[in-house]
Amino acid sequence: MLLTVCPDFVIELRLRTDSLSQLQEKMEEYLDSGLRLGWLIDPISQQVAIYRQNQEV
């Protein structure tokens, strides 16, 4: 039996060396694992994406 543990809330901060698409995929994986709320903060583009269960980003 595989047990998946996921926090309720996650903050991801994009660094200059990070791929935005990879971080977006990671946030989707968190949602699939049960994440309730996630923030993807991108200081490069000065944007924040908010991820919630069953809602658009």
Side-chain angles (χ1 to χ4, degrees), residues 24-35:
Q24 291 167 331
E25 287 178 26
K26 187 175 181 181
M27 294 300 287
E28 291 295 335
E29 289 175 12
Y30 278 133
L31 283 175
D32 292 341
S33 296
L35 180 75

Side-chain angles (χ1 to χ4, degrees), residues 39-53:
W39 295 347
L40 174 52
I41 302 171
D42 184 357
I44 298 165
S45 67
Q46 297 182 344
Q47 294 185 351
V48 175
I50 299 173
Y51 290 77
R52 292 180 219 144
Q53 284 288 324

Side-chain angles (χ1 to χ4, degrees), residues 10-21:
V10 168
I11 298 174
E12 285 286 340
L13 177 61
R14 181 182 181 198
L15 303 176
R16 292 196 182 278
T17 56
D18 291 334
S19 162
L20 181 58
S21 61

